[in-house]
Structure formats: structure tokens, C-alpha cells
Amino acid sequence: MDSYKALSALILVLTAVFAQAGWTQDKPVGSKERGASGQRRPAATKDQGFTSKSFRYSVAAPSSWILRRDISFERASAGKSFPIEYLMVDTQVSLLERTPVTYIRVAGRANDKAGIDGMTPIQIPFNPDYESLTVHSIAIWRNEQKQDRLKNAKVDILQREKELERRIYDGTITALFIPEDVRVGDVIDFSYTIRGANPILGDRYAGYFLTAYNAPAKALHMRIIHPPEKKLNSRQINSPSVSLRIKEDGPVREIAFDANDTTAVVDEGDRPIWHMITPGFEVSEYESWQEVSDWAGKLFKVPTDLSPALRARIDEIRRQNPVARDQVRAALQLAQEEIRYFGVELGVSSHRPAHPNDTFERRYGDCKDKTLLLTTILRQLGVEAVPALVWARRGKLLGSVLPSPRAFDHVITRVTLDGKVYWLDATRNYQFGSIEKLGFYDFGKALPVGNASLDDVLPPEGYVNSTRSVETFRVVTGKEPVQATIETTHAGARAENMRAFVASRGFSEVSKLIGSDMVRRYPTAEMDGELTVADDKATNEFRTIEKYRIRDFLSYKSGRFTIRVDGGQVLGAIPLPKAVNRSTPFALPYPAEITDTAIVELPEPTPFRPNEPVVIRDPSFGYRSAIRAQPSRLTVDYEVRTLQDNVTAVNFGAYLEKTQRIRMNISTSLTIPVTKPPEAALDRARRAWDSASRTQRPRDISSALLASQRLVAAIEETNIESGRLNDKQAAQAYLDKAIAHSNLYEHDQALADLERALKLAPELADAYHARGVIFNKQKKWSEAIETFLTAERLSKGENPGYQERGEALYYLGRYAESVKAFDAEINIGKNRVFVAIWRYLANQRLDGTGERKLEDLLAGTDPESWPGPIARFMLGKQTEYELLKAAEHKDKNRELPQLCEAYFFIGQRYLQRNDKKRALEFFEKSIDTDIKMYREYGYANIEAERLR
């Protein structure tokens, strides 16, 4: 919350916490406003009244019952790090008169410009129908010297209804005072009194007092004085450290507390709406919920003197719906759809509902009006119905707060039918279907009028609140765009939310939003026709059907098509928070059941071996994914069901770990062959590997590795000739084939394939990179460097080729540039130790600093893990014999490549000592391994050629 909202919230709470809000669905704090016009307030005399825009307020000294307190200008703990720090918040309430009188004083230091904007203008909301405002003081303390600002303050009365956006008019206005000349470091100090309370609440008092705010406070004071015979119950909430003082002095009893150096309340966000983080305590004269219920019963008397028009409509409902269950649904439909939501809550109308005759005739009303109308109709139809008071956002807390009318801000209807209880909300829109299928909204607990205790608000048995998505991808060939159809069905509250979303945003915009989400998942997706909507009101299901054409649904790599599908829909039920280290619960949508099924239809039978289902369980949710395979059809199911509406702070670490696992599992990649592999090449590769496995001889292992490269080239050639690849896929096939030929040192064939790849896909950066590697092998160093630069430009930095560029620069003798290139490769974290060894060689040639840099990098790695032994050998920390022993491996397929690398760098070490004979010996050993696909083999050839 920003600094302005911090102060606005503080003032609104302090002013309104003692007054009773009307029953509206939500009472949000209003936003910052300025009046259309203003006036300078003339100099005040004792108890002088003023009028602004026809509303009066007074200016006078505080009453004699108010305790005067001095401000301490010492900083609050950590106060300087906040835009505002409160030096004092003083709240005093007198219940000695017929109506409550509330005195408020706030003194806050503005530590920066945001703090000034937060503290000014001063806004004081009140309801002139039953409250009066008296302003006592507005002052600035600068260098601990007081300067009056009330005399010249600009004054406005804001008449705009903050609740009007929620279609509620309750008569509340805001007095706005704009003091002059406020600077950073000033303490803004103001005080005022609100006298009065809504008469509909009678003479019983209830209030809630905060004991900390979202900014630090040096001193908080609260004091209530009342006659001893007026019994006030109290209860603390999230505030165990505050102790109340109670004393009696003749006809006056006092309840008070003081708190010093309170820390700021930090909101981690993403909390359940019912969870309160601000500490405080409440007081109430009500002894029980029965007393509150009795109070509400006087307001919600179900009348029988109905107008002819309303009676006729009730008779019509009875005649058209012979079954009681259908009558309930028809009555609810009338209250929801035919009576628009709008409330005029002036004075006693804040809580007393209008007569059903009036609500039906004028066709508008707020929650209490619509509820009484619905209850009246249902009782006339012989259905057991009663209004029920709820706390819309924090109903789960009702069992832990003191009884009072202020605990409620909304009213719904409890209906009992065939022995089952249903909770119906007449203010909801877009609800259709039988009463069992209506969206359920978790109010936690309710107080049915006439009840002596609270009831649990529970969903009907078998209630479903779900989203089911079925995505079907029809693959014709690799060349043609895939045809995709996505059918999504929302049920329960999710269906109602979708209807509301479409109604508020418009069909065209919703269609664009849905389409853009598909493009985010599959960038080449294009809508194939318009979005189709099917609204099944009988079952309360809302269905959307999307059709797309996706060009690159099948990606191509290593001779196979890759298909990627995901269950992104389910992630909405198990979101990730903004704050990971939590001390408060994390909110989840509940109840919610989301399933996402992806079906891939293939043109011909393809063998699959599905993995085992993945099941992840948590106290707050359950997750399952599974793959089902048929000859020409692959189905992937993802499902999440939430089990509660929050994750406790204690369990949050486990929740986070499990949701991360789900995010790794939520995308499924499947590979399928383009064609059958060529039998001759496949047979040769099999026989070569059989021989290598049997003999374990280096020559046979080398032959098997080379046979594998020939198989790759043959598969790519077959795929290209099949005609099943589009241009982009064929370019990738030519690239993969070129790399195989390059590994076989068939450079002319490789370069020819790269030319074909670039003809089909001129921006294919990887093809330029592969060409640069070949140029390095051919000692065309300058051409290689230019080619790597082209690859970097085309890939937008994704494939910069720093290591290969550094090698070319090294062999050109441009050691400084070579070191920079190797540094860049190390910084992006690829092959760090190998690259560091090359950088060592360049540094040694440049300025002899290679050892220090290599040691620094090696300190953060496992020296025993390959190629760590090579680095240790280069630093003289390992002998030649120890290095060769480290290269040995029980898997000879790994040992031979490691020996190829070890021999090459041993040769480099002898070159450093100028022992060319021994260097040549080891370069030739590296060549003899015949591991042609390793760069050390190629560079060993270059070094040996120089030395021969």
C-alpha cells in the first residue's frame, strides 16, 4: 500500500470503525480525490460553524472530557525507512451521552515527498444524516515549533459517493482540508471529533481499534469512557502484547491502552480474503448472537400485505413451476435478473430493507431489499426461507469475533428444501441451472435471522466448480499446419464468472484475449474462424470452442518430429506467490477442479511407451497427470483439485516444492520418427556397436561412433527425400546432416548441405555456427570469425560462438582478443572448465597470467570431475600419469574421448616447455583415438602438422 493509501486507510478506519456500515456486498476504501472547488476557511472563533456545498462542520477546541497528550518527536523504530511515521495516533470515545462521540488525533512525520502526498490533503469521511464533524486543529511542527495551518487551509466537501461504483448511495461525504506550505520533515498534526451514530443501530455500542498500522508508530493511545452500567465486552485479535487498563471513577468507567514503538504491519499479499494481519481489539455491548439476531429480526419482518402485482407474479411462478425446487429457482431468477442492484442507504435505510412491494415496483434494491423480496416470495410459495447475515469477505472469522451488527456487511437467504439447506444470494448475476448447480460462494458462517447461533455456510452435496478443457491437435503431415480445436467447459461459479466476463468485456475482446493466450503457448497459431460460445443454462455450464491452425506445432530436431503439449490451465488453481518467505497463509481458489486434456491425432500408427502417471499430493491440493496411447492417438491428461482455500505458512515450503515439480511436469514433449530409418545404415551401426561392446577395443569403439554419425546422415537424407518436411524442417535436417558429415571430416559434403539449409532458411543462425566450426577445422580462421559473428547477430546473442571464436583468435595469435572471447563464454556458464583451460593457454601466451585465473575458476568447481584433472595437470598439481589414470573409465565409450582430450592437452603442456618432440608424440596419440567429432582431435591434427 502506498503512503497516501496508508493514511487514507488510517483515517477511514479511525473515523468509521465506530459507525455501522450498511449491508452492502463490499465496502472498499475509496481512492484519492480532489473537490471541484474550494474555499479558504476564515479565522475561527469559539465553536464556529461553517458551510461548504450545503454541508456544515464546526471548528472548536476539544471537549473537556478529552485527555490532552504531548507529542514526542523521537523517531519511531525504523521510522525513517518509511514515507510516513506516526508520532501519535490518539483515539478517544465517550459513551456518556445518548450517542457516541469519537475524538481522533493523528500526528505523522513526512519523511519524503511521498510522505507529504500521503499526509495531505487530510480527508475526514462522515455521514451528515446522523453525524456531525468538529475540527479542532490542523498544525505543522517544523523543528519542533508549532505552526497553525487550520486558519488558511483550503476546504472542500467531496460529495462523490465512494460506494456509487458498487451501485450504493449511502450519503457519506468527505471533508477535505488542504494545508499550505508542507515540507519534507514536517510533522502534520490534526484532530477532530465525530458526534453521532446511525440510529438504526440503537443505543448499543460496538467498535474495533487497531494496535498497529502499515507504518511504524511512536505512540498509540485508545480510551473509552462510559457509564459503569453499560457493559462492554472486549477481545483481542492478533495483538497479544497489548493489555487493557480498566478503572472506575464514580459515574465513569474507563477502558484504555497505550502502545509504544509499534512496528509496521507488512502485507505479504496473496492472502485469503478472510485473513487479517492488522492487530487490534474489539469491544461490544452485545452478549450473544441471539441478541444480534433479535435486533435483525425487527428489521427483516416478512410482510403479508403484498401488492396485487406482486401476488400475481407469485401466482404465475406457482402456476408455471409445479415443483417446489423449480419455484425456488424461478423466484431467485426474479430477484437476481429483474431487480437491478442499486441501494439508497440513507440513515436507517442502511440496514432496514424496503418493503417487497416497493422493491418489486421500482425494480431496484440492494442486498437487504432483494433478500427480503426473495424470502417473502418463497414463504408465499410454502418454502422455508429466512434472511441470513454474513460477512462477505471474512465470514470465516465470525466464530472468533464478538457478537455485534458491525460483524456483518451482507445478507443472503437460507432455504431449506427436502431436508437440505441451500444458501442463495439474490445479488448474484448470471446464475442459471438448478439450485444444486448454482455457483457457491464461501461466506464461511452466517447468522440466520431468528437463530441463536452461527451456521456454517456449506456447498450443496455434489457441488462442482470446474473447468474442463479438451485440446485436440490433428496432424496431417509435417508440412501442413496442424488443426487444433479447444473446447473448454466451465461449471458452477466458474461458468457464472465467464458469463460476467464476456458481458463486461464484450465478445470481441474476450475472443482476442483467448486467442492471444494460445499465441503465447504456440507463437505460430492463427485463429481458424470465430470463437464459438455455447451457454447451457439448464446445467449452468458455459462452453467456448476455439479453432486454430498452427504452422510449427511439429518441431524438427535430430531426425524426429517433436510434439509439445501442456496443461497450462491447471496452473491457475495452484498459483505461485509474490512473496516466497511467508508468515501468513497463501490463498487458493476453492473449491476448484481443473482438468486439461491434450489429444494428438496422428496420420499413421506410431508406437509409444507411456510413462507412469505422475501423482503429487498436498494437504491443499491433489495433482495427477497421465499419458494414454493408442495406435494413432496420444492423450495427455492433467488434473488439479484444490482441497482447501489456503496453504498454511507452516506448509508453504512443501507446497512451493510440489508446485515447482508440477511446473516441470506440466509440459510433455513427445518425439515421433518422420520415416523408417534406412535399414542398411541402421544395420551397419548395430553391427559396429555389437563389435565395440564385445571387444572394447579403441579401434572398434571409434568405428562405432563414426557409424553412428553415418546413420544420422542417412536418416536425415531419408527424411529430406520423404517430402514430409516443410522448408523450416528441411533446413534443420540439412543442418543436422551437415554436422554429421563435419564430424566425419567430410567437409565438402557438409558445406554443401549447409548451403542448402541456408537457401531454405536464410536466417538459420545455427547453420552459420556449424559453418564456422568447419572453417576452424580447415584453418580458415578469419572466415570462421566472421561466420561466428553472423551467427551471433542472427541469433540475437543466443548462439554467440564465443569459445570457437576464441580458438580461431588463438591460432591467429590474437591472444588478447582470444582471452576476451573465452571470458565471455565463461560468463554465460557454458563448458566453464574446458573454456578456462583454453583461456589459460591464451593468457600464458599473452602475459603469463593464465595459472592464476585458472586456479581462481577451479576453486569453485569439483577438481575430480572431468575435465578438472586436465586443469590440475596444466597447473602442475597433477602428473601426466595421474591425468591418464583419471581419464580411464569403466565405460570405454567414455574413456576413449577423455583420452583424446587428455593427450591433446598433455601435448600443449610439452609445447609450453618447448619440448616439441614429446608434444608431437601426444598430439599423434590424440589423433590415433580417431574421435573425430571432438575438437581436440582436429586441433591435434593442426598442431602435429606444424611440428612435423
Side-chain angles (χ1 to χ4, degrees):
M1 182 179 289
D2 62 31
S3 57
Y4 168 77
K5 291 181 180 177
L7 183 68
S8 295
L10 170 64
I11 297 174
L12 287 166
V13 168
L14 291 174
T15 305
V17 75
F18 316 105
Q20 303 302 320
W23 279 315
T24 60
Q25 199 143 347
D26 191 9
K27 287 281 187 180
V29 175
S31 59
K32 190 172 184 177
E33 304 171 77
R34 294 188 181 271
S37 62
Q39 62 183 43
R40 299 285 183 185
R41 198 198 64 75
T45 58
K46 184 178 179 181
D47 202 9
Q48 186 173 359
F50 298 94
T51 301
S52 178
K53 298 183 180 178
S54 78
F55 294 106
R56 288 184 57 79
Y57 66 95
S58 301
V59 174
S63 299
S64 60
W65 64 268
I66 296 171
L67 293 180
R68 307 295 180 89
R69 307 180 195 273
D70 293 329
I71 296 175
S72 169
F73 292 96
E74 292 182 15
R75 285 202 174 276
S77 298
K80 195 170 184 179
S81 60
F82 287 78
I84 296 172
E85 57 177 313
Y86 299 119
L87 302 186
M88 179 189 294
V89 178
D90 186 9
T91 306
Q92 302 185 45
V93 180
S94 172
L95 304 178
L96 299 177
E97 303 179 27
R98 286 195 314 161
T99 186
V101 181
T102 302
Y103 165 83
I104 293 172
R105 181 183 179 187
V106 177
R109 179 182 281 119
N111 289 323
D112 54 25
K113 187 177 182 301
I116 295 176
D117 293 340
M119 290 295 294
T120 60
I122 298 164
Q123 298 189 52
I124 306 173
F126 68 102
N127 194 315
D129 286 343
Y130 48 80
E131 293 176 326
S132 63
L133 168 65
T134 300
V135 179
H136 306 307
S137 171
I138 297 177
I140 296 297
W141 295 85
R142 186 174 293 160
N143 299 322
E144 300 186 16
Q145 300 297 311
K146 187 175 182 179
Q147 301 177 16
D148 178 56
R149 288 291 187 274
L150 178 59
K151 181 172 63 175
N152 294 319
K154 182 179 178 182
V155 183
D156 262 315
I157 295 292
L158 303 182
Q159 295 177 254
R160 181 177 179 270
E161 283 286 327
K162 295 180 183 297
E163 290 300 320
L164 202 56
E165 293 175 356
R166 299 203 53 83
R167 306 185 67 78
I168 296 294
Y169 179 82
D170 65 3
T172 298
I173 63 172
T174 299
L176 184 108
F177 296 84
I178 309 173
E180 294 182 341
D181 185 22
V182 181
R183 305 176 190 178
V184 172
D186 286 350
V187 174
I188 298 93
D189 181 5
F190 59 91
S191 60
Y192 61 93
T193 293
I194 299 286
R195 181 184 300 271
N198 194 331
I200 195 67
L201 299 172
D203 59 356
R204 292 196 181 191
Y205 177 79
Y208 181 75
F209 301 83
L210 297 179
T211 56
Y213 299 95
N214 50 12
K218 184 65 180 174
L220 300 180
H221 306 287
M222 187 285 304
R223 173 175 174 256
I224 302 174
I225 57 174
H226 62 93
E229 61 271 17
K230 185 183 278 287
K231 183 180 178 182
L232 288 180
N233 303 298
S234 64
R235 178 177 296 180
Q236 296 196 32
I237 298 176
N238 296 338
S239 189
S241 61
V242 173
S243 58
L244 297 179
R245 301 189 311 275
I246 301 176
K247 70 176 183 179
E248 289 193 22
D249 183 10
V252 177
R253 187 169 184 259
E254 179 181 284
I255 302 174
F257 81 79
D258 301 292
N260 296 316
D261 273 327
T262 63
T263 57
V265 176
V266 178
D267 188 355
E268 297 169 341
D270 303 312
R271 295 175 292 109
I273 58 174
W274 51 262
H275 185 265
M276 293 180 65
I277 58 171
T278 48
F281 74 92
E282 56 179 341
V283 295
S284 175
E285 283 190 71
Y286 288 85
E287 295 285 345
S288 66
W289 292 113
Q290 178 68 67
E291 293 181 0
V292 179
S293 183
D294 292 342
W295 168 83
K298 298 173 184 177
L299 302 176
F300 284 90
K301 292 181 178 179
V302 179
T304 56
D305 56 331
L306 306 185
S307 66
L310 181 54
R311 286 192 179 278
R313 186 59 187 276
I314 295 171
D315 290 341
E316 180 183 336
I317 291 174
R318 184 184 292 110
R319 186 172 59 255
Q320 293 179 353
N321 302 276
V323 180
R325 188 171 302 277
D326 295 335
Q327 292 175 1
V328 173
R329 187 68 196 92
L332 179 62
Q333 194 74 33
L334 184 155
Q336 289 177 332
E337 301 299 324
E338 296 186 34
I339 310 299
R340 74 183 188 275
Y341 185 77
F342 185 77
V344 180
E345 300 188 343
L346 301 175
V348 297
S349 294
S350 61
H351 291 75
R352 187 187 300 281
H355 195 289
N357 291 343
D358 297 333
T359 302
F360 182 71
E361 180 180 355
R362 68 194 184 196
R363 298 300 172 115
Y364 71 78
D366 61 13
C367 64
K368 60 186 182 297
D369 304 327
K370 288 159 75 84
T371 293
L372 185 58
L373 172 63
L374 174 61
T375 303
T376 300
I377 294 173
L378 291 176
R379 288 198 185 177
Q380 288 290 318
L381 293 168
V383 176
E384 183 181 340
V386 62
L389 312 183
V390 296
W391 193 357
R393 290 184 176 273
R394 291 175 171 163
K396 286 181 179 286
L397 301 180
L398 280 175
S400 60
V401 302
L402 294 175
S404 80
R406 70 170 295 278
F408 304 100
D409 61 3
H410 188 46
V411 59
I412 59 177
T413 304
R414 185 188 70 181
V415 173
T416 305
L417 192 63
D418 299 331
K420 297 180 179 180
V421 174
Y422 301 91
W423 302 92
L424 307 182
D425 189 342
T427 68
R428 294 287 173 187
N429 291 321
Y430 309 107
Q431 284 196 320
F432 300 103
S434 65
I435 56 176
E436 293 86 1
K437 294 183 179 296
L438 298 179
F440 171 74
Y441 299 88
D442 189 5
F443 292 113
K445 291 183 179 293
L447 180 64
V449 175
N451 263 34
S453 60
L454 301 169
D455 275 4
D456 291 326
V457 179
L458 301 173
E461 185 178 347
Y463 171 69
V464 175
N465 184 41
S466 65
T467 295
R468 303 187 308 276
S469 180
V470 179
E471 305 180 346
T472 303
F473 303 93
R474 185 167 176 265
V475 180
V476 180
T477 68
K479 272 186 162 182
E480 299 178 29
V482 165
Q483 298 170 350
T485 301
I486 302 177
E487 185 171 317
T488 305
T489 304
H490 306 275
R494 288 178 167 269
E496 295 158 16
N497 292 338
M498 277 300 296
R499 290 189 191 102
F501 183 59
V502 173
S504 64
R505 303 293 289 269
F507 181 83
S508 177
E509 184 175 351
V510 170
S511 180
K512 290 178 183 177
L513 289 171
I514 291 175
S516 64
D517 182 66
M518 187 65 172
V519 171
R520 178 184 58 79
R521 295 170 58 201
Y522 300 101
T524 59
E526 296 177 353
M527 259 195 165
D528 189 9
E530 292 188 347
L531 174 72
T532 302
V533 169
D535 192 353
D536 189 342
K537 295 181 178 178
T539 61
N540 198 23
E541 292 185 339
F542 189 89
R543 184 177 296 107
T544 59
I545 301 172
E546 313 154 53
K547 293 187 177 181
Y548 299 92
R549 291 166 61 84
I550 309 175
R551 293 194 305 277
D552 292 334
F553 181 76
L554 296 177
S555 61
Y556 181 86
K557 186 71 175 174
S558 301
R560 299 173 70 87
F561 285 134
T562 299
I563 298 170
R564 181 185 61 81
V565 295
D566 63 64
Q569 286 267 16
V570 305
L571 296 180
I574 45 172
L576 291 177
K578 296 170 187 158
V580 175
N581 298 317
R582 301 189 68 83
S583 60
T584 57
F586 175 63
L588 293 180
Y590 174 79
E593 180 181 337
I594 303 180
T595 59
D596 202 340
T597 297
I599 300 170
V600 181
E601 296 179 349
L602 301 168
E604 57 191 36
T606 303
F608 290 103
R609 287 189 298 177
N611 298 328
E612 289 295 316
V614 175
V615 178
I616 298 175
R617 293 187 176 92
D618 185 82
S620 58
F621 72 87
Y623 168 83
R624 184 179 187 275
S625 68
I627 299 175
R628 294 175 283 142
Q630 295 171 286
S632 300
R633 181 185 178 99
L634 192 71
T635 303
V636 186
D637 297 308
Y638 304 92
E639 178 182 348
V640 166
R641 184 193 300 265
T642 55
L643 305 176
Q644 56 192 41
D645 71 350
N646 74 95
V647 182
T648 63
V650 172
N651 292 332
F652 186 74
Y655 167 86
L656 199 60
E657 183 270 329
K658 290 171 184 176
T659 53
Q660 295 287 14
R661 283 166 53 195
I662 290 173
R663 278 164 171 76
M664 294 180 66
N665 177 259
I666 208 71
S667 180
T668 301
S669 293
L670 309 158
T671 62
I672 58 175
V674 178
T675 58
K676 290 183 64 176
E679 287 295 334
L682 183 61
D683 183 61
R684 282 193 297 270
R686 284 172 178 164
R687 284 190 283 109
W689 280 111
D690 286 344
S691 177
S693 299
R694 187 173 63 256
T695 68
Q696 293 289 295
R697 290 184 303 189
R699 184 189 307 167
D700 292 333
I701 293 172
S702 172
S703 296
L705 291 171
L706 295 175
S708 295
Q709 294 301 306
R710 296 202 180 279
L711 176 60
V712 169
I715 289 173
E716 300 296 354
E717 182 69 30
T718 303
N719 290 344
I720 292 166
E721 292 175 352
S722 72
R724 297 185 176 186
L725 305 181
N726 61 28
D727 285 354
K728 183 177 179 181
Q729 295 161 348
Q732 184 65 49
Y734 276 120
L735 170 59
D736 293 344
K737 182 170 176 281
I739 292 172
H741 284 300
S742 175
N743 288 336
L744 293 167
Y745 273 69
E746 297 170 352
H747 294 148
D748 290 344
Q749 180 63 57
L751 290 171
D753 287 332
L754 291 175
E755 283 296 327
R756 296 185 183 99
L758 290 170
K759 186 174 181 181
L760 294 170
E763 304 292 302
L764 187 57
D766 287 352
Y768 282 97
H769 183 272
R771 182 186 279 174
V773 170
I774 294 171
F775 287 159
N776 269 0
K777 292 178 181 181
Q778 295 177 326
K779 299 186 291 184
K780 298 178 180 179
W781 312 116
S782 297
E783 293 171 78
I785 292 168
E786 290 302 316
T787 306
F788 290 133
L789 289 171
T790 301
E792 180 181 17
R793 176 178 57 79
L794 292 175
S795 68
K796 295 180 173 58
E798 291 294 318
N799 189 359
Y802 291 133
Q803 180 177 357
E804 294 82 359
R805 199 188 313 172
E807 292 161 359
L809 290 164
Y810 174 83
Y811 280 106
L812 281 174
R814 293 157 60 179
Y815 300 120
E817 295 172 76
S818 176
V819 168
K820 287 183 180 179
F822 291 137
D823 281 338
E825 183 77 6
I826 290 171
N827 289 336
I828 62 177
K830 293 184 177 181
N831 306 315
R832 297 181 76 240
V833 177
F834 265 127
V835 181
I837 295 170
W838 277 98
R839 182 182 65 180
Y840 159 82
L841 295 175
N843 266 128
Q844 289 298 95
R845 299 245 182 185
L846 177 65
D847 54 16
T849 62
E851 288 189 1
R852 178 179 55 80
K853 290 185 178 180
L854 185 56
E855 281 184 343
D856 290 343
L857 185 135
L858 202 60
T861 64
D862 178 7
E864 303 303 320
S865 178
W866 196 262
I870 298 177
R872 289 173 59 81
F873 169 76
M874 301 302 283
L875 291 170
K877 297 183 177 182
Q878 199 160 299
T879 66
E880 181 181 309
Y881 172 80
E882 289 171 332
L883 172 57
L884 294 175
K885 288 296 289 182
E888 293 178 0
H889 199 281
K890 60 183 178 180
D891 182 356
K892 297 301 179 182
N893 298 332
R894 287 185 59 183
E895 178 179 305
L896 198 59
Q898 290 183 175
L899 284 171
C900 176
E901 294 165 339
Y903 291 143
F904 172 77
F905 286 107
I906 292 173
Q908 288 291 344
R909 186 70 167 154
Y910 279 116
L911 270 187
Q912 289 178 338
R913 297 170 184 170
N914 204 30
D915 189 340
K916 297 182 180 180
K917 181 179 178 181
R918 292 285 283 168
L920 177 60
E921 176 186 337
F922 278 94
F923 289 139
E924 287 178 338
K925 283 178 179 289
S926 181
I927 296 167
D928 287 343
T929 62
D930 207 28
I931 304 299
K932 295 182 178 177
M933 62 282 301
Y934 273 53
R935 72 185 70 214
E936 287 78 9
Y937 171 89
Y939 292 138
N941 272 288
I942 291 171
E943 296 286 8
E945 185 179 319
R946 285 180 169 183
L947 294 172
R948 288 188 184 117

